[in-house]
């Protein structure tokens, strides 16, 4: 993998509990570039969201796949659905059809708020401005 012929880019891979003392593991993933959105897991919004998700998962007896039931992807999905709901509400309030995708995206631009996945800012193209850290695994 480290011969220069491949580039491995992951998202949130390093957030997993890696045993940094496992030299074989570290060697096998050396050179991986990980894009990890910044998330303050001590933020009260995230803690509250995570607790609500954990309660629902327990009540519905959904299978659990890890320690962090409400991971970043769940928080991002929640924020995306909220943004879309705001755009639909704007469509209803402004009397244009919800099938008008161009106007929906336009109503999303310029939005800024603190969501479950952190600070959210939507640019003029309707994309979320990134807040990520880039990590590269290297042996010492």
């Amino acid at each position: 993998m480290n011969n220069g012929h491949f580039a491995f880019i992951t998202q949130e891979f390093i957030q997993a509990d890696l045993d940094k003392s496992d030299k074989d593991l570290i060697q096998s993933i050396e050179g991986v570039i990980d894009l990890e959105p910044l998330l303050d897991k001590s933020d009260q919004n995230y803690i509250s969201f995570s607790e609500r998700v954990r309660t629902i998962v327990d009540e519905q007896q959904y299978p659990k796949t890890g320690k962090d039931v409400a991971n970043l992807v769940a928080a991002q999905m929640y924020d995306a659905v909220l943004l879309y709901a705001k755009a639909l509400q704007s469509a209803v309030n402004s009397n244009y059809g919800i099938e008008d995708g161009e106007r929906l995206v336009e109503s999303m631009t310029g939005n800024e708020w603190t969501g479950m996945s952190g600070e959210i800012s939507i640019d003029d193209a309707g994309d979320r401005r990134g807040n990520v850290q880039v990590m590269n695994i290297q042996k010492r």
Side-chain angles (χ1 to χ4, degrees):
M1 179 164 120
N2 292 322
N3 62 9
H5 294 132
F6 302 97
F8 292 93
I9 301 173
T10 64
Q11 180 179 354
E12 293 186 80
F13 177 70
I14 298 176
Q15 281 189 9
D17 291 328
L18 296 177
D19 180 1
K20 294 180 178 119
S21 65
D22 185 339
K23 293 185 187 339
D24 290 335
L25 172 65
I26 298 303
Q27 182 178 358
S28 71
I29 60 175
E30 182 182 5
V32 167
I33 297 171
D34 187 53
L35 304 176
E36 187 173 315
L38 296 176
L39 173 65
D40 180 5
K41 290 188 177 185
S42 66
D43 177 76
Q44 193 54 49
N45 280 338
Y46 180 78
I47 291 169
S48 175
F49 171 74
S50 186
E51 288 170 355
R52 288 194 315 260
V53 169
R54 191 170 287 109
T55 298
I56 291 168
V57 166
D58 289 343
E59 286 174 355
Q60 299 297 319
Q61 299 179 348
Y62 292 132
K64 297 178 187 173
T65 58
K67 291 187 285 186
D68 194 12
V69 175
N71 66 14
L72 179 60
V73 174
Q76 288 173 326
M77 182 62 72
Y78 180 93
D79 291 338
V81 170
L82 181 61
L83 177 63
Y84 188 64
K86 288 179 179 185
L88 293 176
Q89 185 64 51
S90 176
V92 169
N93 292 344
S94 301
N95 293 320
Y96 63 87
I98 61 173
E99 64 281 342
D100 188 345
E102 205 169 291
R103 288 194 65 188
L104 285 175
V105 170
E106 185 179 296
S107 72
M108 293 179 193
T109 62
N111 277 293
E112 293 185 8
W113 79 96
T114 301
M116 299 306 147
S117 62
E119 294 300 317
I120 297 169
S121 177
I122 307 300
D123 69 15
D124 291 339
D127 296 322
R128 181 176 180 172
R129 289 185 180 95
N131 188 12
V132 299
Q133 63 183 347
V134 178
M135 300 172 70
N136 183 264
I137 299 176
Q138 299 292 318
K139 66 181 175 185
R140 292 181 182 203

